[in-house]
Amino acid sequence: MRFTTLIPLLSLTPAVYSWGELGHRTVAYLASKHFTRDASELVNTLLANDQGWDISDGAIWADAIRHRNGYTHTGEWHYIDALDDPPNYCNVTYTRDCKSGPGCIVDAIANFTSRINNPHLDLVQQKEALMFIIHFIGDIHQPLHTEHLSRGGNGIKVCFDAHCGERENLHGVWDRAIPHKRRALSAAESDKVILKAAAAAWAEELYLREEKRAAQCDDVETAQMCALEWASEANAWVCGFVLEKGQAWLEGNDLGGEYFEGAGPIVDELVGKAGLRLGNWLNALAAERAAAETMLVQDGERSEV
Ligand code: ADE
Ligand code: ZN
Ligand code: ZN
């Protein structure tokens, strides 16, 4: 009896784990604008399915499977809980913050980077590795995915445009409410076609606006170091803006006004960086894969002679 009343209640609770669909789809579309031919081919080959998927559908898969049997352990891979002290002091340290055992987003990025081209894995395993990478390189750019305080702000109740209370929290505001308002979508918009179109338009704007900056860290051989660097950069925003005014201020003011205005350009910058970095990352992995395939062909030809 207890369970039958609990289940419908639980299913009403929004899953707040990541940039929402809009952010992840935008990162994926932006990345694909940077793809080399090899990277497009790699993504098309591994993500190919019969349901008309595009890369942005692959980007949200990690959230879709988070509660499925056999995947519940993946929840911890979406973030690193930096044990810092915002707004006074922010930083991320691998040994302090990445829980050994369950792991964290930094070692998940390192692990799945090495799995994408691992010849001992089958295509389904490589495909999952690719979908995790596309998702996690997005998540690691969300400042609250690099912060332990109140489970990355999930426990900080706030108001956004007069929506207050149980279901609105600081984490969700950064995952969804701010990106949606920035892109003129209603907070509750969940229609896939509308979200895809909004993501494509946002990616196009970010791409056109992008100063041709370096991606900063694009060596897939040093994946853990790069992921830690990206996490540290996002985490700096926790002190620099997200929690700068302190928890009491955030709990006492509607975040849909001045706070939203300040957050918008930061979200643009972080989503933009995530897209560029993901694009370069997959270009590097595709080049590595193409080189390995060429070697295999040459070896085959040599042994035929
Ligand atoms: N759960 C615990 N900490 C979290 C974080 N920083 N981000 C998302 N979910 C979390
Ligand atoms: Zn996530
Ligand atoms: Zn999140």
PDB file of all heavy atoms in Angstrom, residues 227-247:
ATOM      1  N   ALA A 227      39.904  17.463 -18.224  1.00  0.00           N
ATOM      2  CA  ALA A 227      38.589  17.488 -17.567  1.00  0.00           C
ATOM      3  C   ALA A 227      38.681  18.252 -16.244  1.00  0.00           C
ATOM      4  O   ALA A 227      37.774  19.019 -15.891  1.00  0.00           O
ATOM      5  CB  ALA A 227      38.078  16.064 -17.344  1.00  0.00           C
ATOM      6  N   LEU A 228      39.801  18.070 -15.532  1.00  0.00           N
ATOM      7  CA  LEU A 228      39.964  18.781 -14.256  1.00  0.00           C
ATOM      8  C   LEU A 228      40.101  20.289 -14.501  1.00  0.00           C
ATOM      9  O   LEU A 228      39.557  21.107 -13.745  1.00  0.00           O
ATOM     10  CB  LEU A 228      41.196  18.242 -13.515  1.00  0.00           C
ATOM     11  CG  LEU A 228      41.332  18.696 -12.077  1.00  0.00           C
ATOM     12  CD1 LEU A 228      40.168  18.201 -11.223  1.00  0.00           C
ATOM     13  CD2 LEU A 228      42.656  18.210 -11.462  1.00  0.00           C
ATOM     14  N   GLU A 229      40.784  20.623 -15.581  1.00  0.00           N
ATOM     15  CA  GLU A 229      40.942  22.043 -15.932  1.00  0.00           C
ATOM     16  C   GLU A 229      39.573  22.659 -16.268  1.00  0.00           C
ATOM     17  O   GLU A 229      39.249  23.756 -15.827  1.00  0.00           O
ATOM     18  CB  GLU A 229      41.874  22.120 -17.148  1.00  0.00           C
ATOM     19  CG  GLU A 229      42.552  23.454 -17.345  1.00  0.00           C
ATOM     20  CD  GLU A 229      43.593  23.355 -18.447  1.00  0.00           C
ATOM     21  OE1 GLU A 229      44.508  22.490 -18.350  1.00  0.00           O
ATOM     22  OE2 GLU A 229      43.490  24.127 -19.422  1.00  0.00           O
ATOM     23  N   TRP A 230      38.758  21.946 -17.044  1.00  0.00           N
ATOM     24  CA  TRP A 230      37.422  22.451 -17.406  1.00  0.00           C
ATOM     25  C   TRP A 230      36.545  22.574 -16.152  1.00  0.00           C
ATOM     26  O   TRP A 230      35.829  23.556 -15.982  1.00  0.00           O
ATOM     27  CB  TRP A 230      36.744  21.522 -18.419  1.00  0.00           C
ATOM     28  CG  TRP A 230      37.492  21.361 -19.708  1.00  0.00           C
ATOM     29  CD1 TRP A 230      38.383  22.249 -20.262  1.00  0.00           C
ATOM     30  CD2 TRP A 230      37.434  20.240 -20.604  1.00  0.00           C
ATOM     31  NE1 TRP A 230      38.866  21.742 -21.450  1.00  0.00           N
ATOM     32  CE2 TRP A 230      38.306  20.527 -21.677  1.00  0.00           C
ATOM     33  CE3 TRP A 230      36.728  19.031 -20.616  1.00  0.00           C
ATOM     34  CZ2 TRP A 230      38.497  19.641 -22.748  1.00  0.00           C
ATOM     35  CZ3 TRP A 230      36.906  18.157 -21.675  1.00  0.00           C
ATOM     36  CH2 TRP A 230      37.776  18.465 -22.728  1.00  0.00           C
ATOM     37  N   ALA A 231      36.632  21.555 -15.282  1.00  0.00           N
ATOM     38  CA  ALA A 231      35.839  21.585 -14.043  1.00  0.00           C
ATOM     39  C   ALA A 231      36.255  22.784 -13.185  1.00  0.00           C
ATOM     40  O   ALA A 231      35.415  23.470 -12.600  1.00  0.00           O
ATOM     41  CB  ALA A 231      36.013  20.284 -13.261  1.00  0.00           C
ATOM     42  N   SER A 232      37.555  23.053 -13.128  1.00  0.00           N
ATOM     43  CA  SER A 232      38.055  24.161 -12.301  1.00  0.00           C
ATOM     44  C   SER A 232      37.556  25.492 -12.831  1.00  0.00           C
ATOM     45  O   SER A 232      37.213  26.398 -12.067  1.00  0.00           O
ATOM     46  CB  SER A 232      39.588  24.170 -12.279  1.00  0.00           C
ATOM     47  OG  SER A 232      40.045  22.944 -11.789  1.00  0.00           O
ATOM     48  N   GLU A 233      37.510  25.584 -14.160  1.00  0.00           N
ATOM     49  CA  GLU A 233      37.047  26.826 -14.779  1.00  0.00           C
ATOM     50  C   GLU A 233      35.550  27.058 -14.467  1.00  0.00           C
ATOM     51  O   GLU A 233      35.149  28.167 -14.126  1.00  0.00           O
ATOM     52  CB  GLU A 233      37.254  26.679 -16.281  1.00  0.00           C
ATOM     53  CG  GLU A 233      37.461  27.973 -17.011  1.00  0.00           C
ATOM     54  CD  GLU A 233      37.673  27.681 -18.477  1.00  0.00           C
ATOM     55  OE1 GLU A 233      38.770  27.214 -18.843  1.00  0.00           O
ATOM     56  OE2 GLU A 233      36.730  27.903 -19.254  1.00  0.00           O
ATOM     57  N   ALA A 234      34.751  26.009 -14.582  1.00  0.00           N
ATOM     58  CA  ALA A 234      33.319  26.142 -14.270  1.00  0.00           C
ATOM     59  C   ALA A 234      33.134  26.439 -12.785  1.00  0.00           C
ATOM     60  O   ALA A 234      32.324  27.290 -12.395  1.00  0.00           O
ATOM     61  CB  ALA A 234      32.581  24.857 -14.656  1.00  0.00           C
ATOM     62  N   ASN A 235      33.927  25.748 -11.959  1.00  0.00           N
ATOM     63  CA  ASN A 235      33.826  25.926 -10.506  1.00  0.00           C
ATOM     64  C   ASN A 235      34.177  27.355 -10.078  1.00  0.00           C
ATOM     65  O   ASN A 235      33.613  27.878  -9.107  1.00  0.00           O
ATOM     66  CB  ASN A 235      34.753  24.889  -9.829  1.00  0.00           C
ATOM     67  CG  ASN A 235      34.909  25.118  -8.348  1.00  0.00           C
ATOM     68  OD1 ASN A 235      35.840  25.796  -7.906  1.00  0.00           O
ATOM     69  ND2 ASN A 235      33.990  24.578  -7.567  1.00  0.00           N
ATOM     70  N   ALA A 236      35.081  28.000 -10.814  1.00  0.00           N
ATOM     71  CA  ALA A 236      35.433  29.392 -10.481  1.00  0.00           C
ATOM     72  C   ALA A 236      34.191  30.290 -10.565  1.00  0.00           C
ATOM     73  O   ALA A 236      34.072  31.277  -9.832  1.00  0.00           O
ATOM     74  CB  ALA A 236      36.538  29.892 -11.404  1.00  0.00           C
ATOM     75  N   TRP A 237      33.248  29.941 -11.454  1.00  0.00           N
ATOM     76  CA  TRP A 237      32.016  30.725 -11.561  1.00  0.00           C
ATOM     77  C   TRP A 237      31.099  30.559 -10.345  1.00  0.00           C
ATOM     78  O   TRP A 237      30.208  31.382 -10.117  1.00  0.00           O
ATOM     79  CB  TRP A 237      31.244  30.360 -12.835  1.00  0.00           C
ATOM     80  CG  TRP A 237      31.811  31.001 -14.067  1.00  0.00           C
ATOM     81  CD1 TRP A 237      32.404  30.361 -15.125  1.00  0.00           C
ATOM     82  CD2 TRP A 237      31.837  32.402 -14.381  1.00  0.00           C
ATOM     83  NE1 TRP A 237      32.810  31.281 -16.069  1.00  0.00           N
ATOM     84  CE2 TRP A 237      32.471  32.541 -15.635  1.00  0.00           C
ATOM     85  CE3 TRP A 237      31.399  33.544 -13.711  1.00  0.00           C
ATOM     86  CZ2 TRP A 237      32.662  33.781 -16.241  1.00  0.00           C
ATOM     87  CZ3 TRP A 237      31.592  34.783 -14.309  1.00  0.00           C
ATOM     88  CH2 TRP A 237      32.219  34.887 -15.555  1.00  0.00           C
ATOM     89  N   VAL A 238      31.296  29.465  -9.591  1.00  0.00           N
ATOM     90  CA  VAL A 238      30.475  29.277  -8.383  1.00  0.00           C
ATOM     91  C   VAL A 238      30.744  30.428  -7.413  1.00  0.00           C
ATOM     92  O   VAL A 238      29.816  31.024  -6.861  1.00  0.00           O
ATOM     93  CB  VAL A 238      30.759  27.899  -7.725  1.00  0.00           C
ATOM     94  CG1 VAL A 238      30.011  27.768  -6.405  1.00  0.00           C
ATOM     95  CG2 VAL A 238      30.373  26.767  -8.673  1.00  0.00           C
ATOM     96  N   CYS A 239      32.041  30.748  -7.227  1.00  0.00           N
ATOM     97  CA  CYS A 239      32.381  31.908  -6.381  1.00  0.00           C
ATOM     98  C   CYS A 239      32.217  33.211  -7.151  1.00  0.00           C
ATOM     99  O   CYS A 239      31.853  34.243  -6.579  1.00  0.00           O
ATOM    100  CB  CYS A 239      33.822  31.799  -5.880  1.00  0.00           C
ATOM    101  SG  CYS A 239      34.031  30.574  -4.576  1.00  0.00           S
ATOM    102  N   GLY A 240      32.516  33.172  -8.458  1.00  0.00           N
ATOM    103  CA  GLY A 240      32.524  34.400  -9.257  1.00  0.00           C
ATOM    104  C   GLY A 240      31.139  34.948  -9.543  1.00  0.00           C
ATOM    105  O   GLY A 240      30.961  36.145  -9.767  1.00  0.00           O
ATOM    106  N   PHE A 241      30.111  34.080  -9.536  1.00  0.00           N
ATOM    107  CA  PHE A 241      28.763  34.578  -9.782  1.00  0.00           C
ATOM    108  C   PHE A 241      27.652  33.736  -9.110  1.00  0.00           C
ATOM    109  O   PHE A 241      26.814  34.286  -8.399  1.00  0.00           O
ATOM    110  CB  PHE A 241      28.459  34.670 -11.290  1.00  0.00           C
ATOM    111  CG  PHE A 241      27.125  35.315 -11.546  1.00  0.00           C
ATOM    112  CD1 PHE A 241      26.989  36.693 -11.598  1.00  0.00           C
ATOM    113  CD2 PHE A 241      25.979  34.535 -11.681  1.00  0.00           C
ATOM    114  CE1 PHE A 241      25.744  37.297 -11.775  1.00  0.00           C
ATOM    115  CE2 PHE A 241      24.725  35.121 -11.867  1.00  0.00           C
ATOM    116  CZ  PHE A 241      24.615  36.511 -11.912  1.00  0.00           C
ATOM    117  N   VAL A 242      27.673  32.440  -9.343  1.00  0.00           N
ATOM    118  CA  VAL A 242      26.508  31.599  -8.986  1.00  0.00           C
ATOM    119  C   VAL A 242      26.114  31.763  -7.508  1.00  0.00           C
ATOM    120  O   VAL A 242      24.942  31.967  -7.185  1.00  0.00           O
ATOM    121  CB  VAL A 242      26.796  30.113  -9.305  1.00  0.00           C
ATOM    122  CG1 VAL A 242      25.604  29.232  -8.936  1.00  0.00           C
ATOM    123  CG2 VAL A 242      27.149  29.940 -10.777  1.00  0.00           C
ATOM    124  N   LEU A 243      27.105  31.676  -6.611  1.00  0.00           N
ATOM    125  CA  LEU A 243      26.834  31.804  -5.168  1.00  0.00           C
ATOM    126  C   LEU A 243      27.470  33.065  -4.578  1.00  0.00           C
ATOM    127  O   LEU A 243      27.566  33.199  -3.349  1.00  0.00           O
ATOM    128  CB  LEU A 243      27.347  30.560  -4.435  1.00  0.00           C
ATOM    129  CG  LEU A 243      26.444  29.330  -4.540  1.00  0.00           C
ATOM    130  CD1 LEU A 243      27.237  28.043  -4.313  1.00  0.00           C
ATOM    131  CD2 LEU A 243      25.305  29.399  -3.530  1.00  0.00           C
ATOM    132  N   GLU A 244      27.881  33.954  -5.445  1.00  0.00           N
ATOM    133  CA  GLU A 244      28.653  35.137  -5.012  1.00  0.00           C
ATOM    134  C   GLU A 244      27.942  35.941  -3.916  1.00  0.00           C
ATOM    135  O   GLU A 244      28.555  36.401  -2.961  1.00  0.00           O
ATOM    136  CB  GLU A 244      28.905  36.036  -6.235  1.00  0.00           C
ATOM    137  CG  GLU A 244      29.857  37.183  -5.961  1.00  0.00           C
ATOM    138  CD  GLU A 244      29.891  38.182  -7.123  1.00  0.00           C
ATOM    139  OE1 GLU A 244      29.037  38.086  -8.037  1.00  0.00           O
ATOM    140  OE2 GLU A 244      30.769  39.061  -7.093  1.00  0.00           O
ATOM    141  N   LYS A 245      26.627  36.089  -4.050  1.00  0.00           N
ATOM    142  CA  LYS A 245      25.899  36.923  -3.080  1.00  0.00           C
ATOM    143  C   LYS A 245      25.519  36.153  -1.819  1.00  0.00           C
ATOM    144  O   LYS A 245      24.904  36.724  -0.914  1.00  0.00           O
ATOM    145  CB  LYS A 245      24.629  37.484  -3.733  1.00  0.00           C
ATOM    146  CG  LYS A 245      24.903  38.511  -4.836  1.00  0.00           C
ATOM    147  CD  LYS A 245      23.572  38.956  -5.436  1.00  0.00           C
ATOM    148  CE  LYS A 245      23.707  39.717  -6.743  1.00  0.00           C
ATOM    149  NZ  LYS A 245      24.140  41.094  -6.556  1.00  0.00           N
ATOM    150  N   GLY A 246      25.833  34.882  -1.778  1.00  0.00           N
ATOM    151  CA  GLY A 246      25.550  34.075  -0.590  1.00  0.00           C
ATOM    152  C   GLY A 246      24.174  33.428  -0.666  1.00  0.00           C
ATOM    153  O   GLY A 246      23.259  33.907  -1.347  1.00  0.00           O
ATOM    154  N   GLN A 247      24.056  32.328   0.052  1.00  0.00           N
ATOM    155  CA  GLN A 247      22.834  31.516   0.000  1.00  0.00           C
ATOM    156  C   GLN A 247      21.603  32.309   0.463  1.00  0.00           C
ATOM    157  O   GLN A 247      20.531  32.197  -0.136  1.00  0.00           O
ATOM    158  CB  GLN A 247      23.027  30.271   0.873  1.00  0.00           C
ATOM    159  CG  GLN A 247      21.977  29.218   0.641  1.00  0.00           C
ATOM    160  CD  GLN A 247      22.339  27.886   1.295  1.00  0.00           C
ATOM    161  OE1 GLN A 247      23.521  27.586   1.478  1.00  0.00           O
ATOM    162  NE2 GLN A 247      21.341  27.107   1.640  1.00  0.00           N
TER     163      GLN A 247
END
